[in-house]
Amino acid sequence: MNPREANTIDRRRFLVVTAAAGGALLVGLHADDASAKTRKHAKPPPAAAPVRPNELAAWIRINRDNSIEIAIPRQEMGQGVSTSLMMLLVDELDGDVARVTTYQAEANQKYGPQGTGGSQSIKQSWVPLREAAATARAMLLQAASLTLKVPVQDLTVDKGVITHAPSRRSLRYGELAAAAASLPKPENVATKSKEQRKLIGKPMRKRETRDVVRGVQLYGIDFKLPGMLVGMIERTPVPGARPRYDAAAAMRIAGVVKIFEVPAVADKPLFIRGGVAVLARDTWSAMQARHALNVTWDGGNANEESTLVAAKQAEAVQRPGAQFASFGDIDGALTIPDLVAVAAEYEMPMLAHATMEPMNCTVQINKDGTVQGWGPSQNPVRAQQTIAKLLGLDQAKVTFQPLVMGGGLGRRSNSDFAGEAALLARQADGAPVKLLWTREDDFRFDHYHPMTRAKVEAWTTKDGSLVAWRHHLASTPVGSMFALAPGTGPAAFESAGIGDGFLYDAPNASFRFSGVETATPRWWWRGVSWVYNVFAVESAIDELANALNQDPLAYREQLLSRTKQVTRVQKHARGDEEIVLDHARMTKVMQEATQRIGWNYQPGPGRGMGLAVYEYDGSYAAIAAEIAVDAKAGMQVKRIVAAADVGTIVNPLALEAQIVGGVIFGLSSSLRERITIEKGRVAQANYGDYEVARMPDIPPIEVILLENGAAPTGAGELAVPGVAPALANAIFAATEIRVRKTPFYAARPELKPAV
């Protein structure tokens, strides 16, 4: 998943309420008043299409029959966002959930941010969606007051019905929709207090669950149109390679329509490899023809090896690097006598997204010059822009309808597959084309989580006071995939959880970055740079505790108790931003997790417990793990407890599912997953050689949800970063083997998985 949408709706937005055909009431946001507000670790915003004046983002449509239609501007990929955003709107509206239908909004900047990643959907929607619904509710009450000729304060509303109890008269929202739309819009309507809410905070099952389990949920890969062709591409395995192939043999396959070459496109952040394409009337014919092409490749950059990239990173962290944050005076601090020091390096490999549904997209070029696109995209506006750019069209001529995703994990926030579909559709003479990737394509031509190496040096006094911290991160940076704005370096994409976001109160610190370039494309992955930065920080904190002969839990409590919070100013090219790290909330999640697991650092022979605590863009989490290691039976993760504080909880069921899913995702990458490059090519092609967690790897997982009155923050990626350090720390407690490299089973063969 990607870290941020850089544009969000601030207090200067204003709502528009209007009538629609048939007497419906529409409520939404006036798009040309939306303004941008930057946040920590934001990525550069995509180029925006001009917004037409008075365009309305109709989140809510109330029909005369009392039904309510809600447009969901964020993208559904199993996380339940369509249910959670519906809850925000219907709760404030006092509507009837049974009368609500939701639909995925098309790509259109009138809806505000539509990119779905970085755990931002609830966080960014919390205020504007509730304000829209509260405004609609106030106008409906006013319309009822005028119709019934009674004061507003004498009216009550429940499930879309407004009642005047003294006269026993009632009106449904649908009866009032047209009248309400004609009223002046009230200003500054208050949203509900916690005590007034009826849906927010209550468990609700995902609305699409029934369709998913019955096998009728429509995913992008299921999408069909009359006369549709299926397209597949035999992609260039290494940049610059030239194909030789047997087009005649492929054309002899029944159902094949066309064979042609697709050009490579390297236009940051877009990266399309190019290759040889097949258009056919069905999937099987396209697959057979692709095989019959018998493509061989000449030339290209086949020199890259992941082992060489790792060696370059090992060299890079020994050099000065580029400093991106610093506090105090490390050299002066190191004159303090009798300091306890720790120095270590921590490594993570490239990782695949491995979504259950391979990449796909459907595009049709119409005779009138307009283009339609359909597909599973985390960023439908970016997909729309990519299609328009590659076809040389104005963005206004392209529509894009996002479809439900079979997993996103950051991968589908890129739009390379939408661009490929557009290039294939250009050769289809007006027929719609569905581009399909195979599982092997998905592994070999992914945009990968970067390979990283962090060198950490830390010093404390003998009583445990953290004196100085020196941190040097080397990465194959995601930032290099972008045309960065002046003054923005790649480190801005890699530094979450360190630098100005460093959790602990280190009075003297230096954070440096070295980019090690690679021809292999990189992209955001669930947990983004917190994954490798939390691994390094929380492993090193454990190593400090061990050097001081202290319990790791007690040592963290000591460090976090020294200040209630850490406030720093993070500098960006776009301006300064204050970051507040709340140590009280951090301590609370840590204590809850360790109490639940029954913290005992070394509970017995061959058993150990490990801990990791961290902040993720305003959310706080602690992961406590217990493992058992036996020389004959192998290693088994016995139990994991995850505690999370995300402020106000919208849907506890969805939140718990996100935390459990994040833990499993973190377990899989920590124990088994890695991508390796050999002779310029990705060596892994399917689940047989890209290992993911198996059922025996997954222990009982317990989730503790802490709530406070703060505005909600994100949870989709929250649990992932803490798993690797918690496991590594538990392994050390059980075996005194310090594991500083993932995946653990490959890095330390003696830690074989339990049979």
Side-chain angles (χ1 to χ4, degrees), residues 527-606:
V528 289
S529 55
W530 272 277
V531 173
Y532 42 82
N533 291 332
V534 171
F535 178 49
V537 170
E538 286 301 293
S539 294
I541 290 293
D542 236 65
E543 297 204 42
L544 281 172
N546 181 254
L548 292 164
N549 198 28
Q550 288 197 35
D551 181 288
L553 169 61
Y555 184 53
R556 286 178 173 83
E557 288 176 329
Q558 176 185 331
L559 291 177
L560 293 173
S561 68
R562 295 184 184 277
T563 55
K564 291 185 178 179
Q565 62 185 33
V566 176
T567 303
R568 299 194 182 99
V569 175
Q570 185 165 12
K571 294 186 178 295
H572 302 280
R574 58 183 179 270
D576 295 349
E577 178 185 10
E578 187 175 84
I579 298 173
V580 178
L581 300 170
D582 191 325
H583 282 182
R585 292 174 71 182
M586 190 73 267
T587 300
K588 181 66 174 175
V589 293
M590 179 174 66
Q591 291 174 341
E592 291 286 339
T594 52
Q595 287 172 11
R596 177 70 64 86
I597 206 168
W599 180 262
N600 182 350
Y601 182 46
Q602 292 175 314

Side-chain angles (χ1 to χ4, degrees), residues 128-380:
L129 265 65
R130 289 185 307 123
E131 285 185 349
T135 299
R137 179 180 182 273
M139 296 179 72
L140 289 159
L141 282 166
Q142 183 63 34
S145 171
L146 294 172
T147 301
L148 299 174
K149 297 181 173 56
V150 297
V152 168
Q153 57 267 30
D154 290 348
L155 299 172
T156 59
V157 58
D158 183 52
K159 294 184 178 180
V161 178
I162 298 174
T163 301
H164 182 248
S167 64
R168 298 182 180 179
R169 290 179 293 168
S170 297
L171 291 168
R172 299 181 305 160
Y173 276 175
E175 299 173 88
L176 297 164
S182 68
L183 296 174
K185 180 183 68 66
E187 299 295 329
N188 302 316
V189 176
T191 55
K192 289 182 178 181
S193 66
K194 180 180 179 180
E195 292 71 28
Q196 294 172 313
R197 295 170 190 155
K198 299 175 182 177
L199 296 178
I200 295 172
K202 307 296 191 298
M204 182 177 288
R205 296 189 184 279
K206 292 185 289 187
R207 293 170 69 82
E208 67 275 10
T209 298
R210 180 175 174 81
D211 285 346
V212 171
V213 299
R214 292 171 59 226
V216 298
Q217 175 67 61
L218 177 71
Y219 293 93
I221 203 166
D222 303 316
F223 187 72
K224 294 180 181 179
L225 289 171
M228 185 177 75
L229 302 178
V230 174
M232 304 190 86
I233 301 174
E234 183 70 17
R235 290 170 185 80
T236 308
V238 295
R242 300 176 302 279
R244 287 186 290 127
Y245 54 95
D246 190 345
M251 287 298 298
R252 287 195 291 269
I253 303 294
V256 175
V257 174
K258 204 168 191 177
I259 305 292
F260 55 95
E261 293 186 25
V262 176
V265 179
D267 187 6
K268 295 182 178 182
L270 190 62
F271 183 88
I272 293 175
R273 286 181 177 266
V276 184
V278 173
L279 291 182
R281 302 199 184 280
D282 58 78
T283 302
W284 180 244
S285 297
M287 295 177 72
Q288 291 292 94
R290 180 180 176 182
H291 179 72
L293 285 169
N294 194 27
V295 182
T296 57
W297 300 92
D298 297 325
N301 177 16
N303 298 320
E304 186 161 296
E305 302 275 344
S306 51
T307 53
L308 297 178
V309 176
K312 290 179 181 178
Q313 291 186 344
E315 294 173 4
V317 296
Q318 309 309 322
R319 298 193 292 267
Q323 184 166 278
F324 62 89
S326 64
F327 329 123
D329 176 11
I330 290 181
D331 292 336
L334 296 185
T335 63
I336 298 172
D338 300 324
L339 293 177
V340 177
V342 161
E345 297 182 17
Y346 306 92
E347 301 174 66
M348 281 193 167
M350 286 189 182
L351 295 164
H353 294 84
T355 59
M356 288 302 295
E357 177 191 22
M359 300 303 107
N360 63 87
C361 185
T362 301
V363 172
Q364 181 171 20
I365 302 174
N366 300 313
K367 291 181 180 180
D368 63 1
T370 61
V371 177
Q372 295 167 279
W374 302 263
S377 172
Q378 289 180 246
N379 196 326

Side-chain angles (χ1 to χ4, degrees), residues 57-59 70-76 82 102-108 110-114 375 377 380-381 400-403:
W59 288 321
I70 295 178
I72 302 298
R74 303 294 179 142
Q75 314 314 311
E76 183 61 63
S82 56
T102 61
Y103 62 94
Q104 201 74 53
E106 76 282 1
N108 196 317
K110 70 183 182 182
Y111 290 104
Q114 287 182 273
S377 172
V381 172
F400 188 87
Q401 178 60 55
L403 303 174

Side-chain angles (χ1 to χ4, degrees), residues 699-723:
I701 300 169
E702 300 173 54
V703 177
I704 303 169
L705 303 179
L706 284 72
E707 186 169 13
N708 55 60
T713 47
E717 299 165 291
L718 178 59
V720 180
V723 177

